[in-house]
Amino acid sequence: MNRINTKLQANKKLLSIYFTAGYPQINDTVSIIKSLEDHGVDMIEIGLPFSDPLADGPTIQASSTQALKNGMTSELLFEQLKDIRKTVNIPLLIMGYFNPIFQYGVEAFCQKCEDIGIDGLIIPDLPVDVYCNDYKAIFEKHGLINVFLITPQTSDDRIHYIDSISNGFIYMVSSASTTGAKVGFGDEQTQYFERIGKMNLNNPQIVGFGISNNETFTQATQYAKGAIIGSAFVKHVTKEGVDKIESFVKGVLI
Amino acid sequence: MKTYNVNEKGYYGEFGGAFIPEMLYPNVEELRQNYLKIMAEPEFQKEFNQLLKDYVGRPSPLYFAKRLSEKYNTKIYLKREDLNHTGAHKVNNTIGQILMAKRLGKTRIIAETGAGQHGVATATVCALMGLQCIVYMGEIDIARQAPNVARMKMLGAEVRAALSGSKTLKDATNEAIRDWINNPVDTHYIIGSVVGPHPYPDMVARFQSVISEEIQWQLKEQEGKTQPDYIIACVGGGSNAAGAYYHFLDDESVNLIAVEAAGLGVDSGESAATSALGKEGIIHGSKTLLMQTNDGQITEPYSISAGLDYPGVGPMHAHLFKTGRAEFISITDNQAMTAGLELCQLEGIIPAIESSHALAVFEHKTFKPDDIVILNLSGRGDKDLDTYINHFNL
C-alpha cells in the first residue's frame, strides 16, 4: 500500500510540511526532510522550484527564486533524494508546477519518483481533465498518488467529481488566495470546513493555506484529517536556518 | 472542414487549453460558459460596434502606401490601427472585455502591462465605464515607461509594481493572475493579448477580428476582391496578428507572415524570437511555445520593443507555426528601427517599434509587383520617441 494511504489510516491528526528544495542552501534538501521526520512531522511536500509560481505568494516565490539561483533542477533534486528511503519512512510528495515536469517528460519524471520512493505529486496547474485523459495511467503505473485541490469556490458537483478520481487525500485550500496571503480562519472558513465535512467524501481532506501555528493547526484539523504548513515554515528556515526545525514543529504540535 | 481556429475544448491543434490552478477554475469557467453567449447578444454587439465607431474611431483606414509600394515594387496597404484612440489595436480588446465584465457583474478590473499600451487601453475603458482599475506592471518597466504610467494614473488607474522574478511583463502577468486568485468574485482580468487560459486567446482574437473583417470590405472597395495575397503582422503575444489573420485563417490562398523580434540576433542570447528559440510548454495557463531552459524554467526575452518582449506566443500562433500555415520571420532591433524611419520618410507615418518589425519584412522578402500585401500597422510611435531619439541620435 502507498505510504500516503497507510498514513491516512493512522488514528491522529496529520501535520504535513512544505519546503522548497534547494533553499535556503542547495544541499539542505535531505537534512530538512530527516529533521522533519525526526521531530514528528507526518508527511512532507518537497517543493520543486519554478520560475513563475502562479499560485504562490511572496514567501514561496522568493524561496523558489533563490533555490533556482542556487542551482536547483529536477535532475539535481532526484540525485539528492536517491538514497532518501534508506533513512526516511514517512510519505514524501513532490509539489511543483507542470512545466518543469512536462520538460523532464512526465513518464520519465514518474519513473524517477517511483525509483526513489516518492509517494505522490501535487501539481496545481495540471487540470483535472488533462490529468485524467493524458497522465492518469502513467501515474498509476508508477504507484503515484496525484493530489487535487479544492477551494471555498469549488462547487459541490466538482468536489464530488474530484473525490471520485482521487485515491489519497484532497488538498483543501482554506481560502481563495495564493499561499501565505492570509493567516488564520474566519467564519467563511468554518462554514466551508463544515460544508465539506458533511459531504461524506471518500477521500480524507488535508487543509492547506493559512496554517502557521498550533492555533490554526488545531482549528483546521477539527474538521479535517490533517493540515499543511508551507509559507510559515519557509519563513522559519529563512530566519532561523535549518538547525531549529525542532522548535518550529514543537510549536505547532505542542 | 479543416480549421486553424480554436476547437470546442479550447485547443488550436495541440496548443491552448486551461492549465490553471483550481483557485482560478471558477473565474475562468464562468467566463468560458458565458463569453460566446454574451458576445452573440444583439445588445452587446450594438454597444460594442457603437463604441468602436464613435469612441475608438473605427473603421481604421486601409491605406494604399504609394511610395512604399514603389520602393518595394509591390502593392502595399497599411491597416491603420495606429489611428485608433489610445494609439494601437489594444483598445479593440479592452472595449470588448469591459462590456463583458459589466455583463458578468464585475466591479473591479485588473490588467497586466509591459510597455503600458494595454494598461493605458484598460485604464481608458475603466474610466469610460466608471470601474475600479488596477494595472500590474513590472518594476523595471515602470521606470522605463514613465509617460504611460502617468497616463494610467491620469485616467484613474492604480499602477502596482510587480516586484517578483525579472520584474517585467511576464511577472506583471503572474501578479495579475495572483490578484485574481485572491479576488475570485468581484474581479475581471482583462488580458491584453491572445495568451492565457482558454477562453482568453479565443475571446481576445474575436474582439480583435474586427481588423480582418474591415480588411475584407475595404479591400473589396479598393481592389474589387476580399482576399489579399499576404498579411504581415508582428507577434509578441500575438493579438494584432490574430485580429488581422482571423477571417483569413482557413483561406490558404492568403499567405500569413508573422514577424517576431530577434532582438540583437536570434542566436545572441538577447532575443524574443519564440518560434525559433521556444519549445512546447506551459506559460500563464496555456500550452504553447515558450522560451525556457532545458529544466523548464521560463527565461527572460529581450527586444528593443517592449510590446514584443514576451517569452511565449499565443496558442493560435504556436499552431500556425507548427503547421506551417504562417511563415515566421525574425527581425533584429536594428532592422526594425531602420524600417520604422523609412516609413516616416516615405509615408509621413511614425510607427510603433512593434509595427516597425513588420515593416522590415520588405527588406528581407521579395513580393511580386501585382501581389497585394497588407501590413497591420498595429500602433503609432509616439510612445517610442525616446527609443528612436537614442537610436538615431536625433
Side-chain angles (χ1 to χ4, degrees), chain B residues 46-228:
Chain B
K46 191 178 160 202
E47 200 177 350
F48 181 56
N49 291 330
Q50 194 78 41
L51 282 169
L52 288 183
K53 177 169 173 277
D54 298 336
Y55 188 72
V56 175
R58 303 202 72 93
S60 69
L62 184 70
Y63 164 68
F64 177 65
K66 185 163 174 285
R67 297 187 68 207
L68 194 67
S69 297
E70 278 167 10
K71 166 144 194 205
Y72 291 105
N73 195 27
T74 189
K75 292 169 92 170
I76 302 171
Y77 285 87
L78 303 176
K79 181 59 174 163
R80 298 291 308 274
E81 293 299 301
D82 60 315
L83 294 176
N84 290 340
H85 179 44
T86 73
H89 69 289
K90 292 286 185 189
V91 73
N92 302 329
N93 169 45
T94 60
I95 293 267
Q97 284 206 49
I98 201 81
L99 297 177
M100 181 71 61
K102 281 187 76 171
R103 277 161 178 77
L104 292 170
K106 307 294 179 176
T107 55
R108 181 175 175 273
I109 300 295
I110 56 172
E112 84 296 337
T113 197
Q117 290 307 106
H118 173 60
V120 168
T122 304
T124 298
V125 297
C126 287
L128 183 67
M129 296 295 166
L131 292 180
Q132 185 191 1
C133 180
I134 294 155
V135 179
Y136 288 89
M137 188 168 185
E139 191 181 36
I140 290 174
D141 290 333
I142 287 179
R144 63 185 180 187
Q145 306 288 344
N148 272 343
V149 175
R151 285 186 184 99
M152 287 185 269
K153 287 181 177 167
M154 288 180 73
L155 292 160
E158 179 190 342
V159 180
R160 286 192 191 164
L163 305 171
S164 58
S166 50
K167 304 182 177 66
T168 59
L169 175 59
K170 97 178 158 69
D171 309 286
T173 308
N174 291 340
E175 287 304 325
I177 292 173
R178 288 178 186 125
D179 181 305
W180 212 20
I181 288 173
N182 283 289
N183 297 282
V185 180
D186 64 346
T187 298
H188 177 72
Y189 175 21
I190 299 190
I191 293 184
S193 192
V194 286
V195 301
H198 178 67
Y200 276 103
D202 183 46
M203 180 173 70
V204 176
R206 284 169 185 266
F207 287 138
Q208 292 294 357
S209 72
V210 64
I211 299 172
S212 55
E213 190 185 308
E214 288 173 4
I215 288 173
Q216 286 183 315
W217 64 258
Q218 288 172 321
L219 198 62
K220 178 86 180 167
E221 279 182 6
Q222 300 194 50
E223 293 281 346
K225 58 191 274 196
T226 56
Q227 301 137 303

Side-chain angles (χ1 to χ4, degrees), chain A:
Chain A
M1 185 187 262
N2 187 298
R3 291 179 197 88
I4 295 171
N5 297 120
T6 309
K7 180 63 84 173
L8 288 165
Q9 289 173 3
N11 186 26
K12 63 178 289 207
K13 299 297 185 179
L14 305 180
L15 172 61
S16 182
I17 296 281
Y18 166 95
F19 75 99
T20 304
Y23 179 85
Q25 304 296 325
I26 188 75
N27 289 318
D28 286 338
T29 312
V30 170
S31 59
I32 289 175
I33 293 171
K34 285 182 178 169
S35 182
L36 288 170
E37 178 174 52
D38 288 348
H39 296 113
V41 167
D42 298 294
M43 190 152 67
I44 298 174
E45 289 158 26
I46 305 163
L48 177 66
F50 181 47
S51 55
D52 295 76
L54 291 180
D56 286 301
T59 301
I60 292 177
Q61 284 173 42
S63 69
S64 302
T65 304
Q66 186 59 46
L68 292 172
K69 274 190 193 146
N70 290 346
M72 185 47 75
T73 63
S74 303
E75 197 62 62
L76 180 59
L77 178 60
F78 289 136
E79 180 61 27
Q80 290 178 344
L81 294 176
K82 71 177 178 344
D83 294 325
I84 198 73
R85 284 303 175 195
K86 288 182 180 162
T87 51
V88 171
N89 295 310
I90 59 173
L92 299 175
L93 296 94
I94 289 180
M95 182 163 186
Y97 291 83
F98 189 48
N99 197 49
I101 297 169
F102 184 70
Q103 292 312 316
Y104 196 90
V106 175
E107 172 91 53
F109 195 94
C110 290
Q111 179 68 55
K112 278 279 187 183
C113 287
E114 184 184 8
D115 294 347
I116 288 165
I118 297 293
D119 305 292
L121 295 172
I122 306 175
I123 309 169
D125 61 341
L126 176 60
V128 176
D129 54 336
V130 174
Y131 170 75
C132 287
N133 289 330
D134 297 349
Y135 301 119
K136 189 165 183 275
I138 298 174
F139 277 51
E140 286 174 355
K141 181 175 132 196
H142 295 287
L144 293 167
I145 285 175
N146 191 31
V147 177
F148 298 103
L149 279 58
I150 62 171
T151 81
Q153 275 71 40
T154 311
S155 68
D156 283 6
D157 282 353
R158 190 164 166 84
I159 291 172
H160 280 300
Y161 171 59
I162 286 171
D163 187 42
S164 75
I165 56 167
S166 296
N167 57 352
F169 63 90
I170 290 175
Y171 191 132
M172 196 166 140
V173 176
S174 66
S175 65
S177 72
T178 45
T179 56
K182 293 170 188 167
V183 172
F185 302 124
D187 291 345
E188 190 200 345
Q189 277 72 42
T190 310
Q191 286 164 19
Y192 164 56
F193 294 161
E194 284 176 354
R195 172 167 77 95
I196 304 302
K198 284 179 189 152
M199 287 179 75
N200 289 318
L201 301 178
N202 296 319
N203 291 272
Q205 303 96 51
I206 298 192
V207 179
F209 293 36
I211 298 140
S212 60
N213 53 24
N214 176 261
E215 187 194 348
T216 42
F217 178 76
T218 308
Q219 281 178 307
T221 53
Q222 199 182 328
Y223 303 93
K225 178 65 187 169
I228 301 164
I229 299 181
S231 296
F233 179 74
V234 172
K235 269 186 195 154
H236 180 83
V237 298
T238 302
K239 205 166 150 212
E240 307 285 346
V242 296
D243 300 330
K244 296 187 178 162
I245 288 176
E246 181 178 8
S247 67
F248 182 85
V249 177
K250 289 211 162 131
V252 176
L253 296 176
I254 305 208

Side-chain angles (χ1 to χ4, degrees), chain B residues 196-275:
Chain B
H198 178 67
Y200 276 103
D202 183 46
M203 180 173 70
V204 176
R206 284 169 185 266
F207 287 138
Q208 292 294 357
S209 72
V210 64
I211 299 172
S212 55
E213 190 185 308
E214 288 173 4
I215 288 173
Q216 286 183 315
W217 64 258
Q218 288 172 321
L219 198 62
K220 178 86 180 167
E221 279 182 6
Q222 300 194 50
E223 293 281 346
K225 58 191 274 196
T226 56
Q227 301 137 303
D229 297 294
Y230 291 89
I231 299 174
I232 305 175
C234 61
V235 173
S239 67
N240 93 79
Y245 298 163
Y246 196 87
H247 287 86
F248 305 107
L249 276 175
D250 295 334
D251 180 351
E252 302 208 28
S253 71
V254 180
N255 297 288
L256 308 177
I257 298 178
V259 185
E260 290 184 311
L264 301 182
V266 170
D267 300 319
S268 66
E270 298 290 331
S271 178
T274 304
S275 69

